[in-house]
Amino acid sequence: MQYPVSPKVGPSRFRLFSPILAGATLRERLIACLGALLAIGLTGVISGYMFGQGPHLPLIVAPMGASAVLLFAVPASPLAQPWSIIGGNTISALMGIIAAYFIRDPIIATGVGVSLAIGAMSFTRCLHPPGGAAALTAVLGGPVVAGWGFLFPFVPVALNSCILVGLGLLFHKLSKRNYPHVVPKPAENTHQTIDLPSAVRVGFREEDVDAALEALDETFDIDRADLSRLLQQVELQAAIRSNGKISCADIMSRDVIAIGEASEPDAARHLLLKHNIRTLPVKDPEGRLVGAIGLRELSMSTETIGHAISRPAVARPSDPALSLLPVLTDGRTHAVIIVDDDYRILGLISQTDLLSAVARLLPKEDNAIPAVA
């Protein structure tokens, strides 16, 4: 029996040249190149404008190039966050200056400086690989660095780092990238009880991730929370791959009860109770979805429901039905509204609809206990 082979994996002699970063696309690499070009150039220009040009002080120190690689090529890395860049470079340069001050032999001083830099960055939670280069620069920088002494870690190292991070923040915001990398909050129990959230009661838990990391006995360049989130997404994608033939269009309710945004709260409350539903789509005069409302939102005192609507969860008819699992198990969302490209309402999938679909996918047991009326 032959098993399918991923088209991304070529002959072994070419694997050396394959991308080593998961999720690395051509677009992401081009954005990284543009970001580094602008940031490094502007960092030098701004530093020169502030302190002038001349041999008395380098406009930009070499470790900034390595920092730019992390900042723009892998902005989600824990090693590329603002404190890692600013703190890592500054503290490491300070360790290099201290080593050079007390140790006259430059070879020994470089080893001690880098060693101290790693230890200091680890204890201050700002591990940053270019910090090793900052420590070396502080030791081997020659008379210019020696002349600045203990000011060198702050000017130009800290100054360069702050400017680089500031430009990185602006660039990532304009390019709509998540930086500083914010890890989504873990699932929480919205009912304020001591039970675990429903989304994490089955499957792996945090202690399983810790045990796996301990068993592998290696350090990985990924935040622990990101690792858990990645594994959860792997589980979901595997389920979709195995049962992805069921789409949202297959299980959605098509006769959707909706209400206009100019309606009064009493009208919305009447529809929710009459039809025994928990989510009521709200549409504008053109029939496009603008929000959703439930009894919780109606507890607010407003003249029209347009001021109390919440942001709806939406999907497209062709989306796999199982892709709605994370949304409908977050403890807050009771229904996903199915819309077209113009945001016109096509259907609605409730937690009950999805549960019924998942139940049909479960293996049938001959000795299953019959339902009792």
Side-chain angles (χ1 to χ4, degrees):
M1 178 178 180
Q2 292 185 344
Y3 294 92
V5 178
S6 171
K8 294 183 179 180
V9 180
S12 59
R13 63 179 178 274
F14 295 118
R15 289 181 181 175
L16 179 64
F17 304 99
S18 300
I20 59 174
L21 291 176
T25 63
L26 177 60
R27 178 180 178 275
E28 290 295 315
R29 297 289 77 85
L30 291 176
I31 290 177
C33 293
L34 178 61
L37 170 65
L38 296 175
I40 290 296
L42 288 174
T43 298
V45 170
I46 295 172
S47 298
Y49 177 79
M50 295 177 65
F51 292 96
Q53 300 184 17
H56 63 286
L57 183 69
L59 294 180
I60 185 168
V61 290
M64 294 304 111
S67 295
V69 173
L70 291 171
L71 175 59
F72 295 102
V74 283
S77 170
L79 308 178
Q81 300 313 297
W83 171 238
S84 296
I85 295 176
I86 298 173
N89 284 328
T90 305
I91 292 173
S92 296
L94 181 60
M95 294 300 103
I97 290 293
I98 292 174
Y101 183 82
F102 288 102
I103 302 173
R104 296 304 176 188
D105 188 324
I107 302 300
I108 298 177
T110 53
V112 172
V114 173
S115 176
L116 290 175
I118 294 175
M121 287 189 291
S122 299
F123 281 113
T124 54
R125 300 180 64 84
C126 60
L127 191 64
H128 187 59
L136 282 177
T137 303
V139 175
L140 304 176
V144 173
V145 174
W148 280 82
F150 283 92
L151 285 178
F152 177 76
F154 305 99
V155 180
V157 176
L159 174 65
N160 285 169
S161 300
C162 290
I163 296 174
L164 184 66
V165 168
L167 293 171
L169 290 169
L170 178 61
F171 180 84
H172 286 309
K173 183 175 182 179
L174 293 176
S175 59
K176 298 181 180 180
R177 302 172 92 191
N178 179 20
Y179 186 84
H181 180 63
V182 178
V183 180
K185 292 183 179 180
E188 58 183 15
N189 189 329
T190 59
H191 306 297
Q192 299 182 8
T193 63
I194 62 173
D195 293 316
L196 288 173
S198 58
V200 298
R201 292 176 192 171
V202 179
F204 71 87
R205 298 182 180 178
E206 292 184 0
E207 53 265 33
D208 299 323
V209 176
D210 292 335
L213 291 172
E214 184 178 354
L216 291 174
D217 194 24
E218 291 188 50
T219 301
F220 296 92
D221 182 15
I222 183 173
D223 187 275
R224 184 186 170 286
D226 279 332
L227 180 59
S228 296
R229 191 162 60 102
L230 175 63
L231 293 175
Q232 290 171 355
Q233 190 61 219
V234 169
E235 287 185 332
L236 175 62
Q237 294 302 322
I240 293 174
R241 175 177 52 80
S242 301
N243 306 283
K245 294 182 179 180
I246 301 179
S247 67
C248 290
D250 295 329
I251 68 171
M252 70 182 185
S253 301
R254 299 174 185 272
D255 184 15
V256 180
I257 308 299
I259 193 170
E261 60 181 335
S263 302
E264 296 181 354
D266 286 341
R269 189 177 294 106
H270 172 73
L271 288 175
L272 287 167
L273 296 176
K274 176 183 177 181
H275 296 280
N276 193 26
I277 54 179
R278 304 184 70 175
T279 300
L280 190 62
V282 181
K283 56 186 180 180
D284 63 13
E286 286 73 33
R288 290 187 292 267
L289 179 69
V290 295
I293 197 166
L295 293 176
R296 179 175 55 189
E297 289 80 13
L298 288 173
S299 63
M300 301 172 58
S301 178
T302 58
E303 295 182 358
T304 63
I305 64 174
H307 296 89
I309 59 176
S310 60
R311 184 177 180 180
V314 298
R316 297 293 188 269
S318 59
D319 291 343
L322 292 186
S323 67
L324 306 185
L325 277 171
V327 179
L328 291 177
T329 57
D330 64 2
R332 297 184 180 88
T333 308
H334 303 294
V336 174
I337 303 169
I338 311 303
V339 297
D340 61 15
D341 292 337
D342 295 323
Y343 251 60
R344 298 187 185 279
I345 302 172
L346 301 178
L348 182 143
I349 296 177
S350 66
Q351 292 170 316
T352 303
D353 296 328
L354 185 60
L355 181 60
S356 299
V358 171
R360 290 178 176 272
L361 299 175
L362 297 176
K364 302 297 187 296
E365 298 289 346
D366 295 335
N367 58 349
I369 300 176
V372 178

